[in-house]
Structures are given as C-alpha cells and as structure tokens.
Amino acid sequence: MTRPNLRTIADRTRYVLLDFDGPVCSIFANYPAPTVATELRRLLVDQGVTLPEHIQTEADPLALLRFTATLNQPTITRRIDDALRTAEVTAAATAEPTPYAREVIVTAHQTGRRVAVVSNNSAEAVRAYLSARRLTDYIHPIIGRTHGQPDQMKPNPAPVLTAVRDLHADSEQCVLVGDSESDIEAAQAARVTAIGYANKRGKRTRLAKAEAIIGSMAELATALAGEEL
C-alpha cells in the first residue's frame, strides 16, 4: 500500500479528530482497565447475568459494555454504562498524558485548525481530563459514546460523522488519529482520512489500512507546524 506523505495529509487537513485513550492520554494508566472490568463483571453477576467463558476473563471494560448489548436488556446496559462512566471519570484524574499530544492540540489551534475528540469513552471523562489539563478551550466538539447504546461506538462511523457535522466540515478536510482498528474502520467508513497511532508493538500491522501511521504524536505536531520530519 502506497501512503501519502504525512506532511501532505497535514497540509490538506483543517480539522483534527482525536481518539481519546491513546492519542491524548492513557486513561487507565493508574486505575487499570482489568480492575474496572472486574468491577463491571461483579455488577453483571449481581444483576443475575450468566457470563460466558470469554467474558469471565475479558480485561477490556468496553468489551464488557458491548457484551451487554447481546443481552437484550437495555436497563442492564444502561447500568453498566453508568458504572463504566463513573470509573472513567475517576480514572481521568490520574490518566497519563500521551507524549506530544498537547503539542498536537496546541499546534493545530495555532495554525488555524479545529480539534475535536471522538471517543468510545464517556464524554464526561474526556471533559474531566481536558479540564484538569487546561485543554478545554482548544477542543470542540467532544463526542463520547452514546449512553446505553454500545452498538453506536466505533467502528460504527456514527460518532465520526457526528463530529464532522458539528464542525460543519467537509470530510475530505478531516483526519482522525486513532490507535485501534475500530478507529481506522470508523474513519474510513465516514470518508475521513485515518492516521494510525502505533504506540505499541504490533500495532503497525494492525493499523496497516490507515492512510498514514505514526509512532509518536511528535511526528504529527511537526507535520501540522509545516515542518519537515
């Protein structure tokens, strides 16, 4: 696959859409995701839900939320979503910033671009983190998951399309930066350029369908500033 130069992508980009957990911060850095997943499992069992074997060992809280959609019990889904949102807001207080994420956000702002967050995490958690880091003024809109509707999370393009609409943007002038396959799929389904943030071993392969891949947010900050890598 021949990819366009990152600088070429940056030059045509007027709107930068960022996934939250990964490109902006590590939300569960000090409140581990497996701990949150265990808490959600206990809540499901308390609700009388029988957990299949793969869910009994699932470490991703978002995967547990997705599982609730298969139960066809909206009340339980909403309760798990509420519990996950509370955990995410708590985790946001001790989340670790992604190196050079702030530089990407500020550089985009300084060069006349608009920045949005499009996340499968709750909007409340995103706002809590951005407020604590004094980044709120740089980012709008914040698109978090739709409460009680895990089927609307990425890779569903709905949240990306919502961001494009709220920005009054042309999708061809947008780029979404994400660190998961679901980010890339959602971006491309919404006709938005996808940049894969390969921050861990093996991710370059998993994000191979992205139009560009970076190993550090510093690469994107440099490109947005109009500088050569």
Side-chain angles (χ1 to χ4, degrees), residues 1 3 23 177-185 188 194-200 202-215:
M1 175 181 176
R3 295 188 176 90
V177 185
D179 68 334
S180 70
E181 293 170 81
S182 64
D183 293 317
I184 307 308
E185 291 174 23
Q188 294 177 337
I195 294 178
Y197 174 45
N199 58 330
K200 295 180 182 177
K203 281 199 173 183
R204 285 188 178 271
T205 299
R206 294 198 294 274
L207 303 177
K209 292 183 179 180
E211 281 80 2
I213 298 177
I214 57 175

Side-chain angles (χ1 to χ4, degrees), residues 43-44 47 49 65 68-69 71-83 147-148:
L43 183 55
L44 283 167
Q47 299 297 311
V49 176
L65 178 59
T68 67
L71 302 174
N72 199 27
Q73 298 187 57
T75 298
I76 290 178
T77 297
R78 288 192 294 269
R79 286 177 179 168
I80 296 302
D81 202 331
D82 287 339
H147 181 255

Side-chain angles (χ1 to χ4, degrees), residues 115-216:
V115 182
V117 165
V118 183
S119 177
N120 283 346
N121 298 117
S122 66
E124 291 83 355
V126 176
R127 292 190 189 100
Y129 176 84
L130 296 178
S131 177
R133 298 289 173 174
R134 299 182 180 180
L135 288 169
T136 303
D137 291 344
Y138 295 101
I139 298 177
H140 180 80
I142 294 168
I143 309 298
R145 68 173 177 270
T146 302
H147 181 255
Q149 297 183 48
D151 60 310
Q152 293 295 300
M153 296 192 299
K154 295 172 291 182
N156 190 318
V160 182
L161 290 169
T162 297
V164 173
R165 183 194 67 213
D166 289 359
L167 288 164
H168 303 287
D170 183 331
S171 61
E172 294 181 357
Q173 294 181 311
C174 298
V175 64
L176 180 118
V177 185
D179 68 334
S180 70
E181 293 170 81
S182 64
D183 293 317
I184 307 308
E185 291 174 23
Q188 294 177 337
R191 299 178 182 273
V192 166
T193 298
I195 294 178
Y197 174 45
N199 58 330
K200 295 180 182 177
R201 183 187 297 269
K203 281 199 173 183
R204 285 188 178 271
T205 299
R206 294 198 294 274
L207 303 177
K209 292 183 179 180
E211 281 80 2
I213 298 177
I214 57 175
S216 168

Side-chain angles (χ1 to χ4, degrees), residues 101-111 115 135 138:
R102 187 180 191 92
E103 284 80 357
V104 166
I105 294 166
V106 173
T107 299
H109 178 78
Q110 291 176 338
T111 54
V115 182
L135 288 169
Y138 295 101

